[in-house]
Amino acid sequence: MNSSKFSFNKIASSPSFRSIISAVMCALVGIIVGFIILMIINAEHAPKAISVILKNFMYYRNNGKKLYYLGQTLVKSVPLILCGIGVLFAYKSGLFNIGIAGQYTIGIGIALWSALAWHLPWFLCIILAVIASAIWASLAGLLKAFCNVNEVIAGIMLNWISLYIVNVMMANETVMNITKSETYSIEATSPGSLLPTLGLGSFFHDNEYVSIAIPLTVIVAIAVNIILAKTVLGYELRATGLNKDAAKYAGMSDKKNIILTMAVSGAIAGLGASLYYLTDIQPWKTASVVPGMGFNGIAVAFLGELNPIGVIFAGYFIQHITQGGSFIDTKYFNPQIADLISSIIIYSCAFMFLFKNFIVKLAEKKKKDSDNANAEKGGKE
């Protein structure tokens, strides 16, 4: 009995354990609240609806369709995960990159223009998108470093500017079907600009959108984790984030680190945009709002406990729920109920600290009870 309590205390004291349990609790809160809302709307069909949302691709009985829609979910998780990693990278360095949405938008514009107007090969489209997004993010970094402009304010303004720039840029007959207000298919216009699949689609029932984007995303997550945790650069960036004055006193260039951090964060967002849109899974449509992918990336970063590997699972989970909503019976529910559940999960991330604190207190209580029991036992002896 004492050993089991000791084991619980030891496990609960692990930051990784607390992070995982807190993320699971956030997900459960979102699912339970979502189910209650479904019950209010239509109690009879609510159980089936929540089941369908959670099943996603498992909704289909046909194994081929299951694999196809699993591939679809993975493809759509890529930009969400990379936007989350971009936010995470900046946050670890003490910056809140709310401008990730605008950097993602710039990445979309440059990737699609490079493919549809210039017919460049896929790797050049990616490189240009990454560079453009990095430069765009650097503007907020420059304002922060030299003018002390808060990066949140600068990021919000740049988000809207990026949207209007891309809308204007894409409103060109070279790249867009003006009557539909959406860009042309890359496959029909410039097949060489499509991301190579390397046969990965065959593992997902010949899903034509499954490409090298998926393994590249995992590689980026691992690389960012190594950079932040194991390199001098990562140490300097984290040190600047923790205490800019102390880092400067230690000989680190705080201005350079701020600009570099924002540039790398934006570059990751641009990579996510290019890896998604160069699959040709969807066109750019003239929009009146900034793509939500960037803002969702902020929530995914925190749901993943600001850990690149955790962000992979958090991004997939949010996309799994969202994709599952497209399968519910629209006679009784709006498919956007899945977005609502995702939003609740994201909102509950704000209470992660409370969840962690609860776990710590529970572990302390169990340890105290164990110590008291041992003391009583020793007294009797």
Side-chain angles (χ1 to χ4, degrees), residues 220-241:
V220 169
I222 294 171
V224 168
N225 195 39
I226 293 171
I227 289 169
L228 288 174
K230 304 292 183 182
T231 66
V232 174
L233 173 64
Y235 173 77
E236 287 193 6
L237 295 179
R238 287 185 289 113
T240 302

Side-chain angles (χ1 to χ4, degrees), residues 129-153:
V130 167
I131 292 172
S133 295
I135 292 171
W136 192 254
S138 297
L139 295 177
L142 286 164
L143 289 170
K144 171 77 173 181
F146 292 101
C147 304
N148 202 28
V149 175
N150 188 285
E151 72 275 11
V152 174
I153 302 298

Side-chain angles (χ1 to χ4, degrees), residues 170-173 176-182 184:
M170 292 292 106
N172 186 302
E173 291 183 352
M176 177 175 277
N177 184 333
I178 303 298
T179 57
K180 293 183 178 180
S181 293
E182 64 179 38
Y184 296 116

